Amino acid sequence: MNTVALFGAGLMGQRVAELLQRWPDVALAAVVSRNRPEWLRDVPWYPNVDELSETTGFLIDFSLPGGTGAAANWCRANMVPMISGTTGLEEADREALEHAAELVPVLWAPNLSRGLNLVLRSVVEAAASLPRDIPVRITDVHHVHKKDQPSGTALLLAHAIASARGVRPEDCLVLSMGSDAPRAGMVQCVSHREGEAVGAHRVTFYCRHEQIEFSHEAEERDIYAAGAIEAGFWLLKQPAGLYSAAEWLAPPNSEV
């Protein structure tokens, strides 16, 4: 029986915990969160990751910026693989993930949906094939409780487009709250926070006389929770290192 420690008990953490109850051959070992979640039953809870003592196969992090670094440090010290879907990371968080990856396998991805990462693959191919001066707009829609704008997924898409074009993100990325059309060479990110929307992303390439559009809309958070669990089992078979969702979902024998 495999076991999982969960760091963070918000909306995503709750979905992971509930999905683990139905997942074969795996159990939730413990939950770490600032406050004990009301939904938690018959599972140890700790307010601080340093108090976590349960043996666990891997740790799933859906916390907040600042918390990810603490989780990474614990995973390094205890030789536990780590999957993180936390967005809006601080520099200290990123450094802690890289430090942990020296000893254990670590996967960080702002979006753990298989579908979104397939869209990302197509977006990269389009960006590499089309002229670099074609303007691009990335639109992300999330619930009103989401703090980061643009979303981590929108930034992932933007950075992937810039990389495919061979340019630096800071030279092309523009954050916009309005609907002005992007200019030549621009990668524009526009964010909307509406109701309880789970998450939708749309990428539009404004070519001459035509538009090329890729989109993904999440209908429920279980797609991210399932992705985190599946990625965890994949990570158990990997050597130490810092991995991306593209590497997790790469076809066998392919190079990423």
Side-chain angles (χ1 to χ4, degrees), residues 191-239:
S191 299
H192 301 285
R193 299 296 175 258
E194 304 172 356
E196 297 298 328
V198 175
H201 294 85
R202 184 169 65 252
V203 181
T204 307
F205 291 82
Y206 291 89
C207 306
R208 186 180 183 184
H209 304 311
E210 63 180 344
Q211 294 181 12
I212 303 173
E213 189 166 282
F214 302 90
S215 65
H216 176 267
E217 182 170 358
E219 296 181 353
E220 58 180 26
R221 291 182 177 85
D222 281 4
I223 62 171
Y224 309 125
I229 298 169
E230 291 170 4
F233 282 108
W234 175 84
L235 208 61
L236 288 173
K237 303 174 185 177
Q238 309 309 314

Side-chain angles (χ1 to χ4, degrees), residues 51 65 103 169 207 216 221 231 242 244 256:
E51 299 177 29
L103 297 183
C207 306
H216 176 267
R221 291 182 177 85
L242 186 58
S244 67
V256 178

Side-chain angles (χ1 to χ4, degrees), residues 11-94:
L11 293 173
M12 277 308 310
Q14 182 177 3
R15 295 312 307 151
V16 171
E18 293 181 0
L19 199 59
L20 282 170
Q21 295 179 8
R22 308 193 300 270
W23 208 275
D25 301 322
V26 65
L28 181 60
V31 173
V32 180
S33 61
R34 183 176 301 173
N35 300 303
R36 182 182 177 90
E38 295 180 358
W39 48 262
L40 187 62
R41 299 288 184 275
D42 303 321
V43 174
W45 164 78
Y46 300 94
N48 189 302
V49 69
D50 293 329
E51 299 177 29
L52 178 60
S53 59
E54 271 70 20
T55 301
T56 185
F58 56 92
L59 179 144
I60 296 177
D61 165 48
F62 278 113
S63 58
L64 294 171
T68 295
N73 291 334
W74 183 89
C75 285
R76 176 186 168 93
N78 292 275
M79 299 298 291
V80 173
M82 174 179 177
I83 301 90
S84 177
T86 301
T87 60
L89 297 185
E90 301 172 355
E91 186 60 32
D93 294 317
R94 298 182 185 278

Side-chain angles (χ1 to χ4, degrees), residues 113-126 157 201-203 213-217:
S113 156
R114 284 181 173 271
L116 186 283
N117 283 284
L118 290 174
V119 169
L120 173 62
R121 192 180 302 171
S122 298
V123 167
V124 168
E125 182 178 355
L157 290 161
H201 294 85
R202 184 169 65 252
V203 181
E213 189 166 282
F214 302 90
S215 65
H216 176 267
E217 182 170 358

Side-chain angles (χ1 to χ4, degrees), residues 176-193:
S176 175
M177 299 301 292
S179 57
D180 294 340
R183 299 186 302 274
M186 177 188 297
V187 179
Q188 178 194 63
C189 286
V190 180
S191 299
H192 301 285
R193 299 296 175 258

